[in-house]
Amino acid sequence: MRHFFYLHAQSARSALIKILRQPFGSLLNLLMLSVALALPLSLFLAVASLQDWAGRLTATPQITLYMEQSAEAADISAVNTTLHKHPEVQSFVFISKGQALKEMETKNGLQGLSDGLGGNPLPDAFVVTPTTLDPHELDMLQKELSGLPMVESAQFDASWAKRLFALISLGHQLTWFLAGVLGAALVLVTHNTIRMQILARRDEIEVTKLIGAPDSFIRRPFMYHALWQGLVAALIAWGLTCWLALAANPAISEFARLYNEQVSLRMLRPTELAAFIAGSALLAMIGARMAADHHLRRVGPR
Amino acid sequence: MIQFDQVTKRYPGGNEALKNLSFSIETGEMVFLAGPSGAGKSTLLKLIAGIERATQGGVLVNGQNLTRMRGNQICFVRQHIGMVFQDHKILFDRNVFDNVMLPLDIIGFDRRDAARRVRAALDKVGLLGREKSMPIRLSGGEQQRLCIARAVVHRPSILLADEPSANLDRAYALDIMELFKSFHQVGATVVISAHDETLMEDYGRRIIRLREGQFAA
């Protein structure tokens, strides 16, 4: 077991030394990888920032529940409790028919309207602010709420929420598309670097294999090389996006201020950063593994 | 220990290096393989080490059938075999010590014990003073002995040597034969190939004579 760890530590160390020994060649490679990583990462941050901003908008879509005219206090309090317990309801206000009438009269200068109508034609209403922005979920919520007892209808204006959501989901799709394509590029670039290294160390591989080294022993140094490459490239890419955010944020806030909004590109959260670095290292190791296996198949017994 | 059961090896292109060969070598035996160049001596050794696969028949080493084994399992058989290659296969990017260390690294030897073993092996072949030298500075005979040190450092149960005395003068060749004899005396099964039979006859061991892939009369 100790030997196992020793071998791993040894491979990790010598792979790092190998990278540091050719700073120029390694740097070019690392920069290429980190640019490939920085592109989807920046887009991800842009979309995430947009989403954060959208979540903070005061004008979130609201659903208005109109009660039946015949609804009584007990029905209203039943709806009230349901809304209280509902996980997708962020907040709600109750507007009684009397309140609504009074508001209408004062706002529109129609004092004595109810007298003229011979009663209050307005229903009791709840104005519900949902937790979600997803148009599909909003639809579901609307349907559900309109099905509550003694609720006549539930209405909301979905069109702008749909538009915003579509924009964000387009951004997401673009991010994942870029991440997929450039992730594949990462795999291919490491595959190529490791292949070159394998060719440079062909004799060593042949001899170690001949005297009984298992494939894992031969693969190990290359896997570590790729691991370092993936880690460092991810860190450089992260640095690039931080720099982008710092450079662009003043202009973005200035622009947003014109619309009385507060928007800025956010940085990666620690968990996101960890996932990003791990993903990059993993992709690099996949590339290395492919290159190593390809070569090992060729030097196997005939 | 080593058993060939109707083994045929055909190379791509139709050249038959070994033709329907059956024999066995007992544990602890020392055997010479004789025959002219192209008789199939190297192929036979490569089949024992799992470097080549038999086209037909079975090759059993330590009770394991190499012909049926997958590529990545053969390495564990090789770890019990020490092989002296005809072309040495020394790594020129590391010094003598590290070359001999390689098999111990592979089987996972404790580092300090390993260093002691490497020095013992180098001492045995008379290269102890050269452990820090790069192989390119060694003479042909010294490279040969470096290859032997690497083949025995992990104390394999089988030692294979492909033409270890080629290109060496007779006195030097006898030295090397004595080395192999001493490994045989500590219990290893030893198979040595050579095209020069005069060296073997002094030892009174079994000689397998090959000619064009078959036993020579």
Side-chain angles (χ1 to χ4, degrees), chain A residues 2-3 6-7 10 201 203-217 219 300-302, chain B residues 9 50-53 71-72 74-75 78-79 85 89 91 93-94 102-103 105-106 108-111 150:
Chain A
R2 238 175 63 211
H3 176 74
Y6 171 81
L7 275 183
Q10 177 74 16
R201 294 169 68 182
D203 293 343
E204 183 185 342
I205 291 172
E206 189 206 341
V207 172
T208 43
K209 182 116 180 126
L210 280 179
I211 61 182
D215 288 353
S216 59
F217 181 91
R219 221 162 22 213
R302 287 160 297 250
Chain B
K9 174 67 185 177
I51 297 169
E52 309 265 6
R53 270 185 206 280
N72 202 22
I74 286 177
C75 63
R78 283 188 199 161
Q79 289 175 6
F85 299 96
K89 300 221 185 283
L91 293 175
D93 63 344
R94 59 196 72 193
L102 198 56
D105 265 347
I106 290 169
F109 228 77
D110 179 80
R111 289 298 283 184
R150 189 185 62 191

Side-chain angles (χ1 to χ4, degrees), chain A residues 35-215:
Chain A
V35 167
L37 287 169
L39 279 171
L41 185 63
S42 313
L43 192 64
F44 169 78
L45 285 180
V47 173
S49 304
L50 184 66
Q51 202 170 12
D52 284 358
W53 169 74
R56 276 189 283 112
L57 281 182
T58 42
T60 38
Q62 290 177 328
I63 300 176
T64 311
L65 293 188
Y66 296 105
M67 303 298 291
E68 303 256 11
Q69 277 292 351
S70 56
E72 295 182 359
D75 303 318
I76 288 166
S77 84
V79 173
N80 193 50
T81 354
T82 317
L83 291 178
H84 253 302
K85 285 185 191 146
H86 204 288
E88 279 171 35
V89 172
Q90 197 185 345
S91 63
F92 66 93
V93 264
F94 174 67
I95 299 167
S96 70
K97 50 173 97 175
Q99 236 176 315
L101 184 67
K102 207 177 284 168
E103 210 166 290
M104 203 170 174
E105 284 177 343
T106 47
K107 262 195 189 159
N108 304 331
L110 296 169
Q111 271 84 7
L113 176 72
S114 57
D115 302 339
L117 287 171
N120 185 351
L122 297 174
D124 290 315
F126 288 91
V127 178
V128 177
T129 309
T131 50
T132 174
L133 263 179
D134 184 327
H136 180 66
E137 285 174 28
L138 284 175
D139 273 340
M140 300 278 288
L141 185 64
Q142 184 209 9
K143 282 216 185 74
E144 189 191 333
L145 293 183
S146 63
L148 290 175
M150 295 308 284
V151 169
E152 211 229 323
S153 66
Q155 295 180 346
F156 82 115
D157 175 20
S159 60
W160 74 267
K162 274 185 179 153
R163 255 176 249 145
L164 181 61
F165 189 84
L167 188 68
I168 289 174
S169 90
L170 176 72
H172 271 303
Q173 274 172 17
L174 207 59
T175 307
W176 288 116
F177 173 73
L178 262 187
V181 170
L182 294 166
L186 179 76
V187 171
L188 293 177
V189 170
T190 8
H191 181 282
N192 199 43
T193 341
I194 298 298
R195 196 177 61 91
M196 303 290 256
Q197 282 203 20
I198 286 174
L199 289 179
R201 294 169 68 182
R202 211 169 26 198
D203 293 343
E204 183 185 342
I205 291 172
E206 189 206 341
V207 172
T208 43
K209 182 116 180 126
L210 280 179
I211 61 182
D215 288 353

Side-chain angles (χ1 to χ4, degrees), chain B residues 163-202:
Chain B
E163 304 263 4
S165 55
N167 309 319
L168 298 178
D169 59 48
R170 193 176 167 81
Y172 219 118
L174 278 171
D175 269 1
I176 280 179
M177 285 300 175
E178 283 303 316
L179 260 177
F180 286 124
K181 201 175 143 194
S182 69
F183 295 125
H184 165 243
Q185 276 162 353
V186 295
T189 308
V190 181
V191 185
I192 304 167
S193 82
H195 58 265
D196 177 12
E197 275 193 46
T198 55
L199 272 170
M200 310 172 181
E201 278 156 0
D202 305 339

Side-chain angles (χ1 to χ4, degrees), chain B residues 30-62:
Chain B
M30 182 165 170
V31 176
F32 288 103
L33 263 180
S37 297
K41 305 188 298 293
S42 290
T43 303
L44 196 150
L45 291 174
K46 282 178 181 166
L47 284 171
I48 298 174
I51 297 169
E52 309 265 6
R53 270 185 206 280
T55 318
Q56 273 165 35
V59 177
L60 264 82
V61 175
N62 279 334

Side-chain angles (χ1 to χ4, degrees), chain B residues 119-137:
Chain B
R119 297 217 171 79
L122 285 174
D123 189 27
K124 189 115 193 159
V125 300
L127 283 177
L128 191 53
R130 310 292 304 266
E131 63 175 62
K132 294 268 181 285
S133 304
M134 294 308 273
I136 198 78
R137 309 273 299 271

